[in-house]
Amino acid sequence: TPSEEDYVEMIYRIYLKNQNVQVKDVAVELNIKPASVTKMIKKLDEKGIIEYRKYDYIKLTKTGYKLGETLLKRHNTIYKFLE
């Protein structure tokens, strides 16, 4: 879904900056509550896009990393086109 894509792209962006991604980081960047992030993170974990354990860092799987990379490239391409 578009919402899931937003989360994956943001997790990927944060990962590129910090290498460590926490729920609070995603919540701040997307301007939403940590509880909402946790709910989506659990869905993405079930789909095999990320690995998440409570109170631990969020880790992208190989699939998640490739998806995040693709989504960021798509975002940047659209942004450049619209400039």
Side-chain angles (χ1 to χ4, degrees):
T1 66
S3 180
E4 290 172 344
E5 289 180 354
D6 290 343
Y7 278 86
V8 173
E9 181 183 341
M10 187 53 64
I11 292 167
Y12 180 75
R13 285 173 180 250
I14 295 168
Y15 173 79
L16 291 177
K17 281 192 244 175
N18 303 359
Q19 300 296 310
N20 295 320
V21 183
Q22 294 180 311
V23 169
K24 67 179 182 174
D25 300 328
V26 179
V28 167
E29 291 294 328
L30 292 175
N31 196 28
I32 52 178
K33 295 180 182 180
S36 298
V37 174
T38 301
K39 189 175 179 181
M40 180 61 80
I41 292 300
K42 288 178 182 179
K43 285 183 187 178
L44 294 172
D45 184 43
E46 289 172 8
K47 291 184 175 190
I49 296 171
I50 62 160
E51 293 177 4
Y52 175 69
R53 289 182 193 88
K54 197 171 185 179
Y55 306 117
D56 198 6
Y57 293 113
I58 300 166
K59 298 174 186 166
L60 290 163
T61 62
K62 286 183 182 180
T63 303
Y65 188 87
K66 288 178 185 176
L67 180 59
E69 187 176 42
T70 301
L71 292 169
L72 183 58
K73 283 181 183 177
R74 182 179 75 182
H75 174 94
N76 290 337
T77 301
I78 293 169
Y79 182 79
K80 287 177 186 175
F81 176 75
L82 293 175
E83 270 189 319

